[in-house]
Amino acid sequence: MNSLLQEISLLVEDFGSAPKLEEMPKRTLADKGIAGPTAAHVIEDVHTPLNLAYLTFTTGTSAFQNIVGVTYAELPARIRASVRILERAGLKRGDKLLVTYPPLVNVFSGQALKDFGLKWSFLVRSSRDAFLAALYKERPAAVVGESAFLRAALTDAKNMGVAEDLPKGVKLLTAGTPLDLELLPVAQELLQAEVHDLYGCQEIGWLAMTVSLSGTISN
């Protein structure tokens, strides 16, 4: 047996120029601020290049969901844009934010929510009844969700006769899918809610719009 190779085989167990699998750094859902349940995903480990701050996905409204690799260099601009939108929506430090669909956190960047001082939480299950329960119990200042989901859930609340017990004046931040215009009268009637829509894509950017029953004002 070659003594040098024998020595090398022993040394690489404890030392080396590259890490073993268990020594590799890990970026979890919690690290990205999206540690919540969804019915449309599985949790899968991936090898992410070290030059990327994190991986995210488009929502796939026009085709398949595309992978978006976010570099460290672009993070500051993403954070500034996100904070600007949160300010324009009227949110303030310490506000509670309820996120109905965890991947939508990446529209803003989890770091932006931290820098802005928001406290955000997710549903127990990604379902309309879970959303109504969380809205009632947590009484957040704002909700992030897809507009069709929010409209359907609030319509459920009205049909069940429980809408009057939901918090009023909530700000709805919609993203991920084209704006469901039927949400506007429902949100106004049941929650007296403002609707702020983010339209665009995570690869290029987005437009922010404050939407009312009388028209659309581009921010």
Side-chain angles (χ1 to χ4, degrees):
M1 180 178 294
N2 187 300
S3 60
L4 179 56
L5 289 177
Q6 177 68 14
E7 184 177 355
I8 291 174
S9 67
L10 294 174
L11 286 174
V12 296
E13 288 297 320
D14 298 312
F15 307 99
S17 58
K20 296 194 289 187
L21 178 62
E22 59 270 20
E23 295 171 341
M24 290 177 64
K26 293 188 177 181
R27 189 178 296 129
T28 66
L29 293 178
D31 293 330
K32 296 164 65 173
I34 59 173
T38 90
H41 298 81
V42 297
I43 299 173
E44 179 175 346
D45 292 332
V46 298
H47 288 88
T48 303
L50 288 174
N51 65 317
L52 296 182
Y54 59 85
L55 288 179
T56 183
F57 288 81
T58 63
T59 54
T61 53
S62 60
F64 294 105
Q65 292 182 315
N66 297 314
I67 299 174
V68 180
V70 178
T71 66
Y72 289 97
E74 66 186 279
L75 268 181
R78 282 177 174 262
I79 291 171
R80 286 195 302 271
S82 298
V83 168
R84 186 177 179 185
I85 293 306
L86 295 170
E87 290 174 341
R88 288 193 171 193
L91 294 177
K92 58 185 183 298
R93 182 172 293 274
D95 275 348
K96 293 171 64 177
L97 183 69
L98 179 63
V99 182
T100 65
Y101 183 61
L104 290 183
V105 169
N106 283 335
V107 170
F108 300 97
S109 165
Q111 189 60 49
L113 302 186
K114 293 178 185 178
D115 289 357
F116 194 74
L118 293 179
K119 302 173 183 176
W120 72 100
S121 61
F122 301 101
L123 308 182
V124 175
R125 301 180 186 276
S126 58
S127 60
R128 301 203 301 257
D129 52 355
F131 166 60
L132 294 177
L135 188 60
Y136 170 72
K137 291 171 60 178
E138 298 183 26
R139 313 190 85 76
V143 172
V144 174
E146 294 180 331
S147 56
F149 173 86
L150 297 178
R151 187 260 310 153
L154 293 177
T155 300
D156 288 345
K158 181 178 181 179
N159 293 338
M160 291 187 291
V162 299
E164 63 182 20
D165 295 316
L166 297 177
K168 304 300 184 282
V170 179
K171 296 173 175 61
L172 303 183
L173 309 180
T174 60
T177 55
L179 178 63
D180 181 348
L181 293 176
E182 293 183 9
L183 168 65
L184 303 183
V186 175
Q188 178 62 39
E189 176 190 358
L190 302 184
L191 302 181
Q192 290 83 63
E194 297 177 4
V195 177
H196 302 272
D197 187 59
L198 295 175
Y199 179 81
C201 65
Q202 295 193 53
E203 306 102 307
I204 300 173
W206 23 261
L207 297 173
M209 296 177 285
T210 300
V211 190
S212 68
L213 291 175
S214 59
T216 300
I217 304 173
S218 175
N219 286 339

